[in-house]
Amino acid sequence: MNATAPSAAQTPAAPPPAALTPPARPLGQWIFDVLLWGGIAVVLAVSFGPAEIEKFPLLFSGSDNMREFGRAFVNPDFELLPFFISQMWLTIQMAMWGTALAVFLAVPLGLLGARNIAPPAVQWPVRRLMDILRSVPDLVIGMVFVVAVGLGPFAGVMALALNTGGVLGKLFSEAVESIDKGPVEGVRATGAHKLQEIAWGVVPQVAPLWTSYALYRFESNSRAATILGLIGAGGIGQILFDSLNSFNYSRVAAIAVVIVVAVTLIDLLSQAIRSRLI
């Protein structure tokens, strides 16, 4: 005799699902967060006076100089526009060469400064060298090269190259430290030596990030190169500071417009390049 299937009334009811509880954070993490964010809040409160944050209302009350500058800024003087464009192009060329030299410097620094590539005896001093390069301001490095080679764009190029080389070297090394070990071990299993492991197992993984970092620094250098005009490094920055010193605010406004347009075009070009390469 075949056993009959139990009816729905005889089927035992499923037990109710257990109540879900949110995961609890360990006490150590909670204490660390409190100390971290509490410490930041304390530092901000202590630095309120030294940073003169109490002057913030002066931004809205205004002064005669601010009103004069505002009137001139809305009436830019484009009489020397071709000259401004040529000087902006010189500034961009400085940024291009500074970034290109920085990349050539940052690639070996990034590899030798990565913990998973270089031994500690090499990695530690390379990291300290990168700290020095990116800690010294562009203006200081530029002044050293102005003394060495004289006024002109070359001093600005070298200042950008060294400072940016330190920044990119750090970013490149951190990208190398975050790679997947699988491809590297696969290349090593074929009997490849260390340089082949880097060329075929490391570089293909970090190339997109390296490209993105280099393009971002090129955008930043296009702006930073204008500041180097303060020390006589040429480009649009030198014209900008000359106009500021002569209180020709209408000309300053025109130069600012040229810089904004140039940086915007560079940003759009960088986005197009990233979308093609990354």
Side-chain angles (χ1 to χ4, degrees):
M1 181 177 179
N2 296 331
T4 59
S7 63
Q10 297 173 340
T11 302
L20 298 177
T21 57
R25 300 189 63 192
L27 179 61
Q29 292 185 8
W30 185 83
I31 294 176
F32 175 80
D33 289 345
V34 171
L35 292 176
L36 174 63
W37 296 109
I40 293 175
V42 170
V43 171
L44 287 174
V46 170
S47 59
F48 185 91
E52 297 184 341
I53 305 301
E54 68 274 4
K55 291 185 177 180
F56 189 80
L58 296 178
L59 295 175
F60 305 97
S61 61
S63 64
D64 293 339
N65 291 333
M66 287 296 295
R67 284 192 291 270
E68 180 182 354
F69 182 80
R71 286 192 296 267
F73 197 82
V74 296
N75 295 289
D77 180 9
F78 291 107
E79 181 181 358
L80 300 177
L81 181 60
F83 176 67
F84 296 157
I85 294 176
S86 66
Q87 292 300 303
M88 188 67 225
W89 172 237
L90 175 59
T91 300
I92 294 173
Q93 290 174 305
M94 292 168 53
M96 291 176 63
W97 268 105
T99 306
L101 294 176
V103 170
F104 281 107
L105 176 63
V107 169
L109 290 179
L111 293 172
L112 295 175
R115 296 181 180 88
N116 55 342
I117 297 293
V122 174
Q123 181 261 337
W124 192 88
V126 170
R127 284 275 184 161
R128 302 294 75 78
L129 174 61
M130 291 189 292
D131 292 342
I132 295 173
L133 289 177
R134 68 174 183 272
S135 298
V136 181
D138 295 344
L139 290 176
V140 175
I141 301 177
M143 283 298 299
V144 173
F145 282 103
V146 165
V147 173
V149 303
L151 299 174
F154 182 73
V157 169
M158 295 307 299
L160 293 174
L162 292 183
N163 184 270
T164 304
V167 174
L168 288 180
K170 180 178 186 297
L171 295 175
F172 285 7
S173 65
E174 291 178 350
V176 172
E177 290 175 351
S178 63
I179 62 172
D180 183 8
K181 297 180 181 179
V184 180
E185 294 173 351
V187 174
R188 185 183 302 126
T190 64
H193 54 72
K194 191 67 173 180
L195 290 179
Q196 290 174 327
E197 292 179 15
I198 295 174
W200 299 106
V202 176
V203 173
Q205 296 189 64
V206 298
L209 272 178
W210 283 7
T211 302
S212 179
Y213 291 150
L215 289 173
Y216 172 72
R217 287 303 304 182
F218 170 60
E219 298 170 20
S220 300
N221 286 341
S222 299
R223 297 185 294 270
T226 62
I227 306 301
L228 294 174
L230 181 64
I231 59 172
I236 194 70
Q238 191 166 346
I239 310 302
L240 175 63
F241 286 108
D242 290 343
S243 301
L244 280 171
N245 291 332
S246 61
F247 303 102
N248 193 338
Y249 295 140
S250 296
R251 184 172 296 177
V252 170
I255 295 173
V257 171
V258 171
I259 295 173
V260 169
V261 172
V263 171
T264 301
L265 293 176
I266 291 171
D267 178 64
L268 294 175
L269 177 62
S270 298
Q271 291 180 13
I273 295 175
R274 276 194 290 264
S275 64
R276 298 276 303 202
L277 299 179
I278 300 176

